[in-house]
């Protein structure tokens, strides 16, 4: 069965420290890959996406992610975290075929930023 | 440029009542998706619609749930005879009809509480 795994339920970092959030997927083919951020009580905002091409993708708010086919991973990174980055982060995948357009989400990683 | 709009933002229903959730996609978007987020979980796909057509309802519960996206007006997710287990946040997303249909833009969600 297809699945998306975010191994870290909760991560705490100090402001200014670097950040890496992990995402692994299990699909028969290379899916389309996304990272979304959700602030409390809000909807989801798209941070970045990967469809094809360069495996290092840049997103908004200083985030980047790297697709590694050999590891079936799409980890999210940020060199220096700001207090406003505290939120929940979701990795999502979509299958690039057929009429299906649904996204499958991981269970999320809650990020806490210490002053 | 208005984003995806959902109303109401909060909805309280007693067991056995009906819940109607509305979603207006972004301007120019003709594809709508509904997702459900249970507490402490990621989003789960429910249904994918285009104008006047249900394209994929593989995530919809077989009973009590229905969705529509009429030629005019918002998309509606309808839950009949609600039960406590229906309490969740329901998110709508939209995407353009061409090109990056996987790039979905989310609304702020409707938080349904069943008492």
């Amino acid at each position: 069965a297809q699945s998306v795994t975010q191994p870290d339920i909760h991560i705490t970092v100090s402001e200014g420290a670097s950040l890496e959030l992990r995402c692994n997927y299990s699909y028969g083919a290379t899916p389309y890959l996304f990272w979304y951020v959700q602030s409390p009580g809000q909807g989801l905002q798209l941070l970045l996406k990967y469809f094809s091409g360069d495996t290092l993708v840049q997103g908004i708010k200083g985030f980047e992610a790297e697709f590694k086919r050999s590891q079936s991973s799409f980890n999210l990174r940020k060199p220096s975290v700001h207090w406003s980055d505290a939120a929940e982060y979701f990795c999502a995948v979509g299958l690039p075929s057929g009429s299906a357009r649904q996204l499958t989400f991981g269970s999320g990683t809650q990020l806490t930023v210490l002053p | 440029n208005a984003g995806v709009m959902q109303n109401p933002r909060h909805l309280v229903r007693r067991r056995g009542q009906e819940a109607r959730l509305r979603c207006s996609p972004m301007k120019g978007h003709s594809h709508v998706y509904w997702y459900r987020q249970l507490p402490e979980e990621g989003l789960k796909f429910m249904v994918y619609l285009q104008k006047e057509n249900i394209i994929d309802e593989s995530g919809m519960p077989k009973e009590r749930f229905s969705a529509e996206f009429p030629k005019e007006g918002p998309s509606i997710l309808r839950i009949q005879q609600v039960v406590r287990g229906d309490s969740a946040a329901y998110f709508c997303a939209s995407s353009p009809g061409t090109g990056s249909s996987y790039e979905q833009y989310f609304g702020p969600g409707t938080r349904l509480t069943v008492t």
Side-chain angles (χ1 to χ4, degrees), chain A residues 32 34 36 38 41-44 46 49 51 90 94-97 99-103 105-107, chain B residues 9 33 35 37 40-43 45 48 55-56 58 91 100-108 111:
Chain A
Y32 295 154
F34 306 84
Y36 285 86
Q38 183 182 30
Q42 301 298 314
L44 279 73
L46 179 64
K49 60 187 182 289
F51 290 162
F90 292 96
L95 284 179
S97 63
S99 62
R101 292 290 183 270
Q102 61 174 282
L103 296 180
F105 285 82
S107 54
Chain B
R9 295 291 305 275
Y33 316 78
Y35 293 82
Q37 184 179 33
E40 308 300 325
E41 293 187 12
L43 279 72
F45 168 78
Y48 162 41
I55 306 302
D56 179 359
S58 58
F91 290 94
S100 301
S101 289
Y102 288 94
E103 192 165 327
Q104 298 177 17
Y105 295 85
F106 284 79
R111 279 144 185 91

Side-chain angles (χ1 to χ4, degrees), chain A:
Chain A
Q2 301 146 348
S3 65
V4 180
T5 302
Q6 293 181 247
D8 304 305
I9 297 173
H10 197 170
I11 283 184
T12 300
V13 298
S14 297
E15 191 169 17
S18 64
L19 172 69
E20 183 168 24
L21 302 181
R22 296 183 290 166
C23 173
N24 294 94
Y25 63 89
S26 174
Y27 277 83
T30 299
Y32 295 154
L33 298 157
F34 306 84
W35 275 98
Y36 285 86
V37 61
Q38 183 182 30
S39 297
Q42 301 298 314
L44 279 73
Q45 182 181 22
L46 179 64
L47 285 175
L48 46 76
K49 60 187 182 289
Y50 173 79
F51 290 162
S52 65
D54 192 346
T55 57
L56 184 63
V57 294
Q58 303 297 321
I60 62 171
K61 304 185 179 186
F63 285 93
E64 67 177 25
E66 184 172 13
F67 168 58
K68 292 186 177 180
R69 186 190 307 273
S70 61
Q71 298 177 18
S72 297
S73 69
F74 188 56
N75 294 349
L76 181 71
R77 301 194 293 248
K78 187 169 184 178
S80 178
V81 170
H82 188 263
W83 63 267
S84 61
D85 293 324
E88 188 151 25
Y89 292 79
F90 292 96
C91 179
V93 302
L95 284 179
S97 63
S99 62
R101 292 290 183 270
Q102 61 174 282
L103 296 180
T104 299
F105 285 82
S107 54
T109 297
Q110 182 69 47
L111 174 65
T112 297
V113 180
L114 300 177

Side-chain angles (χ1 to χ4, degrees), chain B residues 62-110:
Chain B
K62 296 291 185 241
E63 298 179 350
R64 302 187 297 107
F65 285 72
S66 63
E68 62 176 10
F69 188 16
K71 186 176 180 180
E72 301 291 338
S75 175
I76 306 287
L77 178 67
R78 182 182 177 204
I79 311 172
Q80 295 178 290
Q81 299 177 317
V82 297
V83 301
R84 288 224 172 100
D86 296 332
S87 295
Y90 292 83
F91 290 94
C92 168
S94 72
S95 67
T98 58
S100 301
S101 289
Y102 288 94
E103 192 165 327
Q104 298 177 17
Y105 295 85
F106 284 79
T110 294

